[in-house]
């Protein structure tokens, strides 16, 4: 129950109940009515016990002032939760029992939910395109005998950048590929690019702009990003030690090379920038800018299913080349051949 201090029921609120899908996991229905002079009451009928979280958000991007009511299930259901649990429960096998295992590829569709990502001139939303390409890529990876893929999100919902990194680490991913289709202020900017994490300044003006936008995603979603900078710095110390960036660059090069056969390349080499989603210090991670949604021609292609497929196949070929050169270490995470993944949110 939520009481708002207003006299009129705003049209947006009156229509809210119609937006609750019958199969919504949490909400049965929603009633909005004037309760007494000066108070409009919203009543949510719930399917199970939840933990509510109410907070106000300052205007950012296309959004004005927002009051957000988040409903968290008491028991969180997560696409990777089951696997994470298995990973933590299962003891490492003794050295003589170690067998080759599947390479775990975590695919991260950029943005989602409250955070639409970049918007094309024809209205395409980056968060939708990244999810389409990511799902195609997952199906392709799962079709390979030596790999399996996991998505950080499998629907249109918000996921903080830190949570994406944590998921990849929790399943002891062999690599993480974050999929994007970003925008730049000049509509003629085009081409695919691949990024690895930088321990220095971003390698180009574009890289800096994109990193800034990426890291602002968390602000759009309303998640407080406290100490992001110090976290990045702290992580970078470890990165230097483990050489993860070096592996990320190798992976990036393989993927970039293949992307060059389906799109022109924005830059001929892997760029480096401080993307928060690439900071898993022990998981080689790359961010693929498939194309620029801000370029009208590329926006059209990004919506084309056969082109999405081409992009996914190019990324797959790059991943395959990398995994062939750097097979997963045997002491890796879970040795299930067919992961029982309940891909439900
Ligand atoms: Zn993006």
């Amino acid at each position: 129950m939520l009481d708002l201090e207003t006299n009129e029921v705003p049209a947006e609120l009156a229509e809210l109940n119609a937006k609750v899908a019958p199969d919504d996991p949490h909400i049965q229905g929603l009633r909005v009515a004037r309760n007494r002079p000066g108070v409009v009451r919203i009543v949510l009928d719930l399917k199970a016990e939840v933990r509510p979280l109410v907070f106000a958000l300052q205007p950012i991007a296309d959004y004005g002032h927002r009051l957000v009511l988040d409903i968290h299930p008491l028991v969180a259901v997560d696409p990777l939760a089951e696997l994470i649990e298995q990973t933590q429960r299962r003891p490492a096998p003794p050295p003589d029992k170690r067998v080759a295992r599947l390479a775990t590829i975590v695919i991260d569709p950029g943005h989602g939910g409250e955070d639409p990502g970049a918007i094309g001139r024809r209205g395409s939303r980056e968060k939708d395109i990244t999810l389409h390409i990511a799902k195609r890529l997952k199906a392709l990876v799962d079709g390979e005998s030596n790999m399996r893929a996991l998505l950080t999100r499998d629907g249109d919902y918000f996921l903080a950048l830190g949570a994406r990194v944590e998921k990849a680490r929790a399943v002891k991913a062999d690599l993480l590929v974050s999929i994007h289709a970003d925008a730049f202020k000049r509509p003629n900017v085009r081409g695919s690019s691949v990024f690895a994490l930088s321990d220095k300044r971003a390698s180009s003006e574009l890289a800096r702009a994109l990193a800034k936008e990426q890291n602002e995603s968390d602000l759009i979603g309303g998640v407080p990003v406290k100490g992001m900078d110090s976290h990045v710095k702290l992580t970078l110390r470890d990165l230097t030690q483990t050489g993860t960036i070096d592996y990320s660059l190798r992976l990036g090069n393989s993927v970039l090379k293949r992307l060059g056969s389906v799109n022109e390349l924005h830059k001929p080499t892997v760029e480096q920038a401080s993307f928060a989603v690439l900071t898993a210090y022990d998981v080689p991670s790359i961010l693929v800018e498939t194309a620029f949604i801000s370029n009208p021609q590329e926006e059209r292609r990004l919506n084309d299913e056969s082109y999405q497929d081409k992009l996914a196949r190019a990324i797959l070929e790059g991943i395959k080349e990398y995994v062939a050169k750097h097979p997963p270490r045997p002491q890796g995470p879970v040795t299930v051949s067919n992961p029982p993944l309940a891909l439900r949110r």
Side-chain angles (χ1 to χ4, degrees):
M1 207 167 66
L2 203 65
D3 282 347
L4 303 177
E5 284 179 15
T6 172
N7 250 321
E8 299 297 317
V9 177
E12 294 87 349
L13 276 184
E15 291 161 5
L16 214 52
N17 188 42
K19 291 184 179 164
V20 179
D23 62 345
D24 186 282
H26 310 301
I27 304 171
Q28 182 81 51
L30 187 142
R31 290 169 278 141
V32 185
R34 222 181 104 182
N35 177 261
R36 56 184 185 271
V39 174
V40 166
R41 177 165 288 179
I42 305 173
V43 179
L44 289 164
D45 296 315
L46 299 166
K47 290 178 178 170
E49 219 178 322
V50 298
R51 190 166 46 85
L53 190 65
V54 182
F55 53 95
L57 285 179
Q58 294 297 316
I60 188 167
D62 293 339
Y63 299 101
H65 285 279
R66 284 176 294 163
L67 176 71
V68 179
L69 170 63
D70 268 357
I71 293 173
H72 298 273
L74 285 188
V75 182
V77 187
D78 182 278
L80 298 185
E82 197 175 340
L83 189 75
I84 291 169
E85 212 175 283
Q86 284 178 15
T87 309
Q88 285 162 352
R89 253 201 325 253
R90 193 179 293 251
D96 56 330
K97 292 272 164 56
R98 286 173 186 173
V99 288
R101 61 175 180 84
L102 299 174
T104 301
I105 317 295
V106 168
I107 304 167
D108 174 49
H111 311 277
E114 284 283 275
D115 168 21
I119 312 267
R121 279 171 169 65
R122 288 147 43 107
S124 326
R125 300 179 301 186
E126 183 184 0
K127 66 172 182 178
D128 301 325
I129 286 166
T130 59
L131 187 60
H132 287 313
I133 298 172
K135 283 183 169 174
R136 283 173 189 279
L137 179 57
K138 175 180 164 37
L140 291 170
V141 168
D142 285 339
E144 296 292 321
S145 58
N146 61 340
M147 300 179 207
R148 52 125 179 229
L150 304 166
L151 295 172
T152 54
R153 69 170 175 101
D154 64 343
D156 182 17
Y157 48 86
F158 178 77
L159 191 59
L161 297 170
R164 299 169 194 249
V165 174
E166 284 315 309
K167 283 183 179 190
R169 295 209 54 237
V171 297
K172 298 197 166 83
D174 292 290
L175 54 94
L176 176 143
V177 178
S178 188
I179 310 277
H180 289 260
D182 275 316
F184 199 56
K185 53 196 173 206
R186 295 192 299 271
N188 57 332
V189 170
R190 60 177 303 147
S192 305
S193 352
V194 175
F195 291 85
L197 189 65
S198 166
D199 52 359
K200 301 181 207 76
R201 276 172 68 86
S203 54
S204 73
E205 184 206 355
L206 177 67
R208 270 196 301 281
L210 289 176
K212 187 167 164 285
E213 267 172 33
Q214 289 307 315
N215 297 339
E216 273 171 2
S217 287
D218 272 355
L219 294 174
I220 294 173
V223 171
V225 254
K226 53 175 190 300
M228 179 65 86
D229 274 345
S230 62
H231 170 71
V232 170
K233 271 181 212 140
L234 201 73
T235 309
L236 285 170
R237 220 177 302 148
D238 289 332
L239 273 167
T240 324
Q241 290 167 357
T242 59
T244 300
I245 287 183
D246 182 50
Y247 283 103
S248 303
L249 288 169
R250 293 177 203 202
L251 169 65
N253 274 316
S254 297
V255 170
L256 189 72
K257 196 170 66 189
R258 304 294 182 153
L259 281 170
S261 63
V262 295
N263 195 12
E264 66 181 70
L265 295 179
H266 178 70
K267 280 275 166 65
T269 52
V270 177
E271 294 191 78
Q272 290 184 263
S274 301
F275 289 119
V277 76
L278 301 181
T279 53
Y281 70 87
D282 48 0
V283 182
S285 305
I286 57 167
L287 187 147
V288 177
E289 292 290 356
T290 50
F292 281 90
I293 205 170
S294 48
N295 179 302
Q297 241 179 320
E298 296 206 330
E299 182 186 7
R300 199 173 316 122
R301 289 212 295 188
L302 282 167
N303 282 294
D304 176 352
E305 287 189 15
S306 69
Y307 190 69
Q308 290 172 357
D309 196 58
K310 277 185 189 165
L311 286 168
R313 280 177 198 281
I315 298 169
L316 172 77
E317 290 305 321
I319 291 173
K320 276 168 70 175
E321 184 180 279
Y322 174 86
V323 171
K325 284 185 191 158
H326 310 283
R329 289 176 302 246
Q331 67 271 29
V334 200
T335 44
V336 285
S337 51
N338 250 327
L341 277 184
L343 274 183
R344 300 225 52 84
R345 193 185 160 204

